[in-house]
């Protein structure tokens, strides 16, 4: 079985991916490979950060690997918080701090259009590949629901009445930005296995 490093320690993301690829790949996390340092994330784009993380681990461990990065882009804020989604309200901001700041920034603004974007950067034998997942929706006026994390309580995906945080996680995982990017990644990996090129 092939090893593939996923540059994360997020158990939820790991489970999402291994549930699809487990017959063919052993996915190792940063904990599994004994890496506990900081991975630089200094790019000005989501793609750039995903690639920066994947390249960092590839160079250090010389093993095929992938990394993801996500941002919430709000039209009325010219795409902010975007690449700064995790630290929108400051370096050590909590999810709640970020939600409060975003609702404040959108107070009185009618255009609530937004999208989540995930990019996964995969490096196989030094060659990078990118997989993108986008879901459009609206930012609500107030938080609703208790599932999920981050901006979930204020993001209402297109075609739904409820926020991500009000949905069963199974549904969110299918329609979400990360779910869509993950599906593209796993289809690509399974194809490579079929072609015997991995
Ligand atoms: P990361 O790149 O996956 O760590 O995501 C960066 C930030 O975007 C997180 O700290 C969250 O605030 C936000 N975020 C990412 N994915 C989601 C999601 O699925 N729902 C809500 N917020 C998210």
């Amino acid at each position: 079985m092939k090893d593939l490093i996923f540059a994360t320690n997020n158990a939820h993301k790991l489970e999402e991916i291994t549930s699809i690829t487990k017959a063919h790949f052993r996915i190792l996390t940063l904990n599994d490979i004994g890496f506990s340092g900081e991975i630089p994330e200094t790019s000005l784009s989501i793609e750039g950060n995903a690639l920066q993380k994947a390249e960092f681990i590839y160079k250090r461990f010389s093993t095929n690997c992938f990394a993801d990065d996500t941002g919430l882009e709000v039209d009325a804020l010219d795409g902010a918080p975007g690449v700064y989604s995790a630290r929108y309200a400051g370096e050590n901001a909590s999810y709640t701090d970020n939600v409060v700041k975003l609702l404040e920034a959108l107070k009185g603004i009618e255009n609530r259009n937004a999208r989540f974007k995930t990019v996964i950067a995969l490096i196989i034998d030094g060659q990078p590949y990118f997989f993108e997942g986008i879901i459009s929706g609206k930012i609500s006026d107030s938080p609703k629901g208790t599932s999920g994390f981050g901006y979930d309580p204020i993001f209402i995906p297109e075609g739904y009445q409820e926020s991500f945080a009000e949905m069963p996680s199974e549904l969110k995982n299918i329609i979400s930005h990360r779910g869509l990017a993950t599906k593209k990644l796993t289809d690509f990996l399974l194809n490579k296995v079929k072609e015997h090129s991995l």
Side-chain angles (χ1 to χ4, degrees), residues 10-44:
N10 182 317
H12 171 80
K13 293 182 185 176
L14 178 70
E15 202 215 298
E16 238 177 76
I17 291 201
T18 42
S19 68
I20 306 174
T21 54
K22 64 182 172 223
H24 305 282
F25 297 95
R26 189 167 63 129
I27 308 274
L28 303 172
T29 62
L30 297 176
N31 278 337
D32 294 332
I33 58 174
F35 180 80
S36 57
E38 284 283 307
I39 304 181
E41 259 183 80
T42 53
S43 171
L44 298 180

Side-chain angles (χ1 to χ4, degrees), residues 19-197:
S19 68
I20 306 174
T21 54
K22 64 182 172 223
H24 305 282
F25 297 95
R26 189 167 63 129
I27 308 274
L28 303 172
T29 62
L30 297 176
N31 278 337
D32 294 332
I33 58 174
F35 180 80
S36 57
E38 284 283 307
I39 304 181
E41 259 183 80
T42 53
S43 171
L44 298 180
S45 69
I46 293 167
E47 295 78 1
N49 270 342
L51 182 62
Q52 189 179 20
K53 288 189 258 186
E55 276 181 336
F56 180 89
I57 294 299
Y58 184 79
K59 281 184 188 144
R60 190 128 171 177
F61 294 92
S62 303
T63 304
N64 294 334
C65 66
F66 62 94
D68 71 337
D69 200 56
T70 294
L72 174 64
E73 300 174 340
V74 179
D75 286 354
L77 303 176
D78 293 328
V83 74
Y84 302 108
S85 293
R87 48 207 149 116
Y88 183 48
E91 235 4 91
N92 296 311
S94 68
Y95 290 144
T96 308
D97 295 337
N98 288 332
V99 164
V100 167
K101 180 166 175 184
L102 185 58
L103 288 179
E104 194 57 37
L106 289 178
K107 221 177 197 162
I109 295 180
E110 248 178 60
N111 179 0
R112 316 290 291 191
N113 295 338
R115 73 201 56 77
F116 271 114
K117 175 166 140 182
T118 290
V119 175
I120 296 175
L122 167 73
I123 303 186
I124 304 272
D125 301 329
Q127 167 82 36
Y129 301 89
F130 293 92
F131 306 92
E132 186 180 85
I134 290 179
I135 180 156
S136 298
K138 287 197 186 304
I139 303 298
S140 59
D141 292 327
S142 59
K144 287 197 183 69
T146 52
S147 318
F149 69 102
Y151 298 92
D152 279 349
I154 56 168
F155 185 81
I156 302 176
E158 209 167 83
Y160 294 84
Q161 302 299 324
E162 65 268 56
S163 75
F164 264 166
E166 293 178 295
M167 290 180 174
S169 60
E170 295 77 15
L171 175 59
K172 181 195 163 189
N173 289 345
I174 292 170
I175 64 172
S176 81
H177 43 300
R178 191 173 309 98
L180 297 172
T182 302
K183 176 83 174 60
K184 289 181 186 171
L185 168 75
T186 50
D187 285 352
F188 176 88
L189 290 173
L190 296 179
N191 254 329
K192 285 251 173 213
V193 169
K194 264 194 227 147
E195 293 166 358
H196 304 289
S197 55

